[in-house]
Amino acid sequence: NKKRLVGKPVYYHLHPEDVAAVKQAFTQAKASKTAQQVLCRFIVADQPAAQPDAAKNSLRSDTKLLPPLAPGSFVYVRLNVRVRRNRDGKVRRFDCRFVDLTPLVLQKELELDATRRELARVQKKRRAIGQDLARLKVSYRELYQNAPVMYFSMDRDGKLVTFNDTLLRTLGYERSELQQQEYLRLLAPGTRTIAESMPSREGELETQWRKKDGSVIDVWLHTVPVYDEAGNFVRYRSAALDLTEKNRLAN
């Protein structure tokens, strides 16, 4: 009621965190002689209020003076402050205009809360998808590395780029011994060019490879040449199978 307001500093009714901003608005209005505008929160009746000297304290210390305030215990206000002076230029009073923004702010807060919930849901879904992708990558890596078929790719210069563990186990090499090495290193003696043991376009053929220990194995090879958007050759992507034992039994 009116009796509870008259004679009390405006800071007494402010949310503690807004005291400094309102005090600054009054100071600037007095110094600049122009109206100042500030957004703040006023505590409603029967709620803990800031002490009259709260403006002398820092923002953080103000907050510690009071228990936490629930959102419904204050209203959002746009405060317009204008200074009125006597003829001698001294401040006679401050004229203040209050515009209640509470309905608008609460509506925005509801929308923001809904947005936060939706964002949390999307982030949770994204994390789940990320975990699924990570598991798929592990599964794919295990399948690729331990497949019964030897997989490898070769660049336009004829150098090995990628290959799986099955190829290494079959030929007896360590990965570092073949990485970026020429494919010709795998071919049996007498094969002088890659073209002799690699299809010129997608297809398959039988050739012979030499293992690290020098022994020769029969290999079935299926190759797909890969081209870029301009039609330029980029690499070979191949699958190979050791046919040595099969051919021996057939013979």
Side-chain angles (χ1 to χ4, degrees):
N1 55 41
K2 186 175 181 180
K3 290 182 179 180
R4 299 178 62 177
L5 296 176
V6 174
K8 297 289 182 64
V10 66
Y11 308 113
Y12 186 87
H13 307 285
L14 279 171
H15 190 292
E17 295 176 356
D18 297 337
V19 170
V22 173
K23 180 181 179 182
Q24 184 179 12
F26 276 92
T27 301
Q28 290 178 344
K30 183 178 178 180
S32 64
K33 300 180 182 180
T34 59
Q36 299 294 313
Q37 186 179 99
V38 62
L39 300 179
C40 56
R41 292 161 291 180
F42 277 84
I43 301 172
V44 301
D46 301 323
Q47 298 293 334
Q51 301 303 315
D53 61 347
K56 300 178 182 179
N57 299 321
S58 67
L59 180 62
R60 293 299 178 186
S61 62
D62 294 339
T63 306
K64 294 179 181 179
L65 292 174
L66 299 175
L69 294 173
S73 64
F74 50 83
V75 293
Y76 294 86
V77 171
R78 185 175 67 226
L79 175 61
N80 296 303
V81 181
R82 182 181 296 276
V83 66
R84 295 297 182 184
R85 301 177 184 274
N86 297 324
R87 292 182 178 179
D88 59 2
K90 292 183 178 180
V91 176
R92 179 159 50 100
R93 70 172 188 270
F94 289 97
D95 288 343
C96 300
R97 182 170 177 266
F98 299 84
V99 179
D100 186 4
L101 301 178
T102 305
L104 178 62
V105 172
L106 293 182
Q107 178 62 32
K108 293 299 182 182
E109 286 189 346
L110 289 175
E111 295 173 0
L112 182 59
D113 186 57
T115 302
R116 289 195 188 101
R117 290 197 301 269
E118 177 63 16
L119 180 60
R121 185 188 68 80
V122 171
Q123 289 177 336
K124 181 179 180 181
K125 184 176 181 180
R126 186 182 65 179
R127 287 194 295 269
I129 293 174
Q131 293 171 354
D132 290 341
L133 287 175
R135 286 192 290 268
L136 285 174
K137 287 180 180 179
V138 172
S139 298
Y140 170 78
R141 188 180 301 111
E142 291 177 349
L143 288 173
Y144 174 79
Q145 296 295 353
N146 300 295
V149 177
M150 294 178 281
Y151 292 120
F152 69 97
S153 63
M154 181 175 61
D155 64 18
R156 67 180 68 189
D157 297 323
K159 293 183 178 180
L160 297 170
V161 180
T162 60
F163 38 85
N164 65 353
D165 289 346
T166 305
L167 183 145
L168 295 174
R169 287 193 297 268
T170 302
L171 300 181
Y173 285 100
E174 296 293 331
R175 185 168 296 275
S176 59
E177 294 177 301
L178 292 183
Q179 193 71 47
Q180 291 297 319
Q181 296 298 311
E182 292 187 356
Y183 171 67
L184 287 172
R185 180 174 181 178
L186 301 183
L187 301 181
T191 306
R192 296 183 300 275
T193 65
I194 293 176
E196 295 181 50
S197 64
M198 189 70 66
S200 59
R201 53 184 179 268
E202 182 175 357
E204 59 185 62
L205 54 74
E206 287 192 27
T207 186
Q208 290 186 319
W209 283 359
R210 180 173 54 188
K211 299 171 65 173
K212 183 178 179 179
D213 61 10
S215 60
V216 175
I217 60 174
D218 298 327
V219 174
W220 168 86
L221 188 66
H222 181 272
T223 295
V224 177
V226 179
Y227 301 88
D228 61 20
E229 296 179 354
N232 299 313
F233 173 74
V234 178
R235 66 181 183 276
Y236 285 111
R237 187 171 61 233
S238 306
L241 190 64
D242 183 1
L243 297 181
T244 306
E245 185 64 16
K246 176 184 176 182
N247 290 343
R248 186 186 68 81
L249 292 174
N251 290 335

